[in-house]
Amino acid sequence: MHPAEGFELIIAMFLAVVGLHYLAHRLSLPPAAALIVGGGAIAFMPGLPGITIDPELVLVLFLPPLLMDGAWFTAIAPFRRHMVGILSLAVGAVFFTTAIVAVVTKLLLPALPWAACVALGAILSPPDAVSARAVLQRVRLPRRLSTLLEGESLLNDAAGLVLFRFAVAAVLTGGFSLGAAVGSFFLLVLGGIAVGAAIGAAWVLLLRRLGDDTLMIALTLLVCWSAYIAGELLHVSGVIAVVTAGLTCGWYQHVVFSASVRIRALAFWQVLVFLLEAAVFTLIGLSLRGLSERVGDPAVVIDTMGLPVLVIVAAVIVARFVWIFGVDAVVAGLRRVGWRIARPLGGRAALVMSWAGMRGVVTLAVALSLPEQMPARDLMLVTAFVVILVTVLVQGTSLGWVIRRAAPREDPASHPPLNLHAAEAAMFRVQLVAVEREAHDDDGQLIHPQLLRRYQARATAGQNFEGSAEELTAAITSHFDVIIAAVTAGRAELVRLHRAGEIDDETLHDLEHDLDLEELAATAAKG
C-alpha cells in the first residue's frame, strides 16, 4: 500500500468512527460495540486493502496515552485505601484466570505444552483498560466499585504481559523457573514505579520553569510515551511506569497548571483519547479480515475449533466469578474472626464486578505478537478474538442492565467528609477572607465595595438558605442559567457585528475568549 493511500485510509477510518459513534448514540448502543461491528463490516468491503496490524506498534501507540488518561484522573486517596482489593483483581484474578484457562486448555488439548496453555491464559486473563473506560463512562457505579475497576484496569496489564513473556520464553527454550519468574515480576514492577516516579518528578520540575502554554501541553502529552519507552528500554514494566507517571502528574497538575493551560489541555486530551479509543475498537473489527484469511473457511474453523474456543471463553468468564465471589467469602469469614483490614463487597457488588471483565486492545495486540512457531497459534488467535467479541458485545452491552438489576449499595465509608455544598461553602469563606484583606487600602478606606458585597453574599448564601439541598441546587442552577443565557446573547451580538463589518477579527476573538471563560466558569459552578 502506498503511504498516501494508508493516510487516506486512516482519515476514512476516523470519519467512519464519527458516523458509528453518532449511530450508537441515536440507537442507545455502547459505542465500543458499534465500533467493533462497524469495523468488522468495513473490513470486508470489496476493494478495501488488507489491514496489517503491528502488535508492538499497537501497544506503544495506544496503550500509554490511554493508561495516562486513566491514571491522571484517578483519585489517589481512594486508590490507596482500596489497594488490597485492586491488587486482588489486578494480580490475583489475572494469575487465577491464567491458571484456570491453562488447565482447561490442557484438558481439551492434551498434546499442547503446558507453557503454551499458560501463554493463552496470560493473553486472555487481563481485562482491558480501554474497554473498562468505554463501559464505565456510560454507567453509574458506587465509588468503591468504580475505584476497584479503574485501579484494576490500570495495573492488570503488567501482570498479564509478564506472565505472557515468561510463558512464551518457556515454549521457545523449553525451560521455566517459578522462583525466577516471581522475582522478575516484582523487579519489573518496582523498576516501573521508579521510572514512572522519576519521569513524573522531571515533568513537575520542567513545568515550573516553562512559561509557554503550548510547550506545557506538548510536554504533558509526551510524558506517557516517554515513561513507557523508558520502562521498556530499561527492561522494567512500561505499563507500571506510565501509571506511576500519570498518578504523579495528575496529583501535581493542580499546582503547576494555570487555568488556561488546564482548560486547553483537558480539551486536547478529550479529543485525543476519543480518537484513540475509537481507533482501538475499530482496529479490532478491521482485524477480523486478516484473521479470517489466516485461519481459512469459517465453517471449517467452527468444526475444528468451535468447541474448544467456546469452552475456553466460558472458563475465562467463570474464573472471574469464582475468584471475586471466593475472595469476598474469605474476606467476610476473616472479618467474623476479627480481621478488619478489608470489607467484603457483598453479593450484589460482587455480581457487578464479576460481569465487568471486558477484554480489548491488550488481548488483541498480545495475541497478534505470538511467534509463528507457537503451537496452536491459530487457535489462540481465534480464541482471543472471540473473547474480545463476547466480553465487549455481550458483557459490555448488558453491564448497565446488570447494574440496574443488582442495584449495588454505596459504601458509606467511601463518602468524603464534605459534600459538594459544604466544600463550596468552605471555599467561599476562604475567598471572602482574601477579598476582605484586599478590599481596603493602607489607610483602611474601602476601595472595592462591589467585590466585597459579592463575596459576602456568596459566603452567606448557603448558610442562610432554609430550603433542602435540592432546592439550593435548583436556585444555583437558575442563577447560572441566567449568566449562560447572557453569554449566549453576547456571543450572538459579536457574531452579528462581525458579519456586519463593524468589528474586526481580532476584536471578535478577544471578546469571544472572555465570554468563553465566563461561560466555562458559570457551567462549572452550575455543575
Side-chain angles (χ1 to χ4, degrees), residues 210-497:
L210 289 176
D212 185 276
D213 289 3
T214 303
L215 289 179
M216 295 172 76
I217 297 173
L219 182 63
T220 303
L221 171 65
L222 295 174
V223 165
C224 60
W225 284 297
S226 301
Y228 185 86
I229 294 171
E232 294 298 313
L233 288 176
L234 295 172
H235 304 292
V236 297
S237 174
V239 171
I240 296 297
V242 173
V243 171
T244 305
L247 291 172
T248 304
C249 296
W251 177 262
Y252 283 100
Q253 58 98 4
H254 302 288
V255 295
V256 297
F257 274 173
S258 66
S260 62
V261 171
R262 190 158 33 247
I263 291 171
R264 294 171 62 190
L266 179 60
F268 173 78
W269 267 102
Q270 286 176 333
V271 175
L272 177 66
V273 170
F274 165 76
L275 291 176
L276 290 176
E277 285 184 346
V280 164
F281 291 113
T282 307
L283 285 175
I284 292 174
L286 291 172
S287 301
L288 290 173
R289 176 176 170 180
L291 176 66
S292 66
E293 291 174 351
R294 175 183 175 85
V295 299
D297 185 12
V300 176
V301 173
I302 293 173
D303 289 338
T304 58
M305 303 182 187
L307 180 60
V309 168
L310 290 179
V311 173
I312 294 171
V313 171
V316 170
I317 296 173
V318 171
R320 184 173 176 87
F321 275 84
V322 172
W323 177 263
I324 292 177
F325 276 91
V327 169
D328 206 49
V330 170
V331 171
L334 291 174
R335 283 184 67 85
R336 284 194 289 269
V337 298
W339 190 67
R340 302 289 178 181
I341 296 179
R343 296 183 306 278
L345 293 170
R348 298 184 180 190
L351 174 63
V352 172
M353 292 291 295
S354 300
W355 196 244
M358 291 70 65
R359 272 65 174 178
V361 60
V362 173
T363 294
L364 170 67
V366 174
L368 292 173
S369 69
L370 284 166
E372 292 292 335
Q373 59 269 41
M374 174 66 71
R377 184 177 188 270
D378 289 348
L379 172 67
M380 294 183 182
L381 286 172
V382 172
T383 305
F385 271 95
V386 174
V387 166
I388 294 171
L389 294 177
V390 169
T391 55
V392 173
L393 298 182
V394 178
Q395 290 181 280
T397 303
S398 59
L399 181 60
W401 179 84
V402 171
I403 292 172
R404 289 191 296 272
R405 297 292 294 177
R409 297 184 179 89
E410 183 69 76
D411 183 2
S414 65
H415 284 285
L418 297 179
N419 61 23
L420 174 64
H421 295 303
E424 190 176 50
M427 179 186 70
F428 288 160
R429 288 194 297 270
V430 173
Q431 288 180 321
L432 176 59
V433 171
V435 171
E436 287 175 336
R437 185 170 57 248
E438 303 293 336
H440 300 80
D441 60 17
D442 294 337
D443 298 327
Q445 182 70 28
L446 182 62
I447 56 176
H448 295 298
Q450 292 181 337
L451 275 176
L452 184 60
R453 286 195 297 271
R454 175 185 175 188
Y455 280 88
Q456 284 174 337
R458 289 176 63 179
T460 58
Q463 299 175 4
N464 297 335
F465 192 83
E466 298 180 354
S468 64
E470 290 76 12
E471 292 171 328
L472 175 59
T473 300
I476 293 173
T477 299
S478 175
H479 173 82
F480 287 106
D481 279 342
V482 174
I483 295 177
I484 294 172
V487 169
T488 302
R491 187 181 292 110
E493 177 64 9
L494 282 178
V495 173
R496 187 192 69 78
L497 293 172

Side-chain angles (χ1 to χ4, degrees), residues 68-159:
M68 178 79 172
D69 185 65
W72 183 281
F73 294 103
T74 296
I76 299 294
F79 186 82
R80 187 186 301 117
R81 184 166 61 249
H82 297 299
M83 182 56 71
V84 173
I86 291 171
L87 291 178
S88 169
L89 293 167
V91 179
V94 168
F95 283 21
F96 180 76
T97 302
T98 299
I100 293 297
V101 171
V103 171
V104 170
T105 304
K106 186 66 176 178
L107 292 174
L108 292 169
L109 304 169
L112 197 63
W114 270 108
C117 298
V118 173
L120 177 58
I123 292 171
L124 305 178
S125 58
D128 185 60
V130 183
S131 299
R133 281 173 46 84
V135 173
L136 290 177
Q137 289 171 354
R138 297 176 54 83
V139 299
R140 184 174 181 84
L141 280 173
R143 290 183 179 87
R144 183 185 181 189
L145 300 191
S146 294
T147 300
L148 290 173
L149 287 173
E150 290 169 359
E152 176 195 18
S153 69
L154 291 175
L155 301 180
N156 60 9
D157 290 336

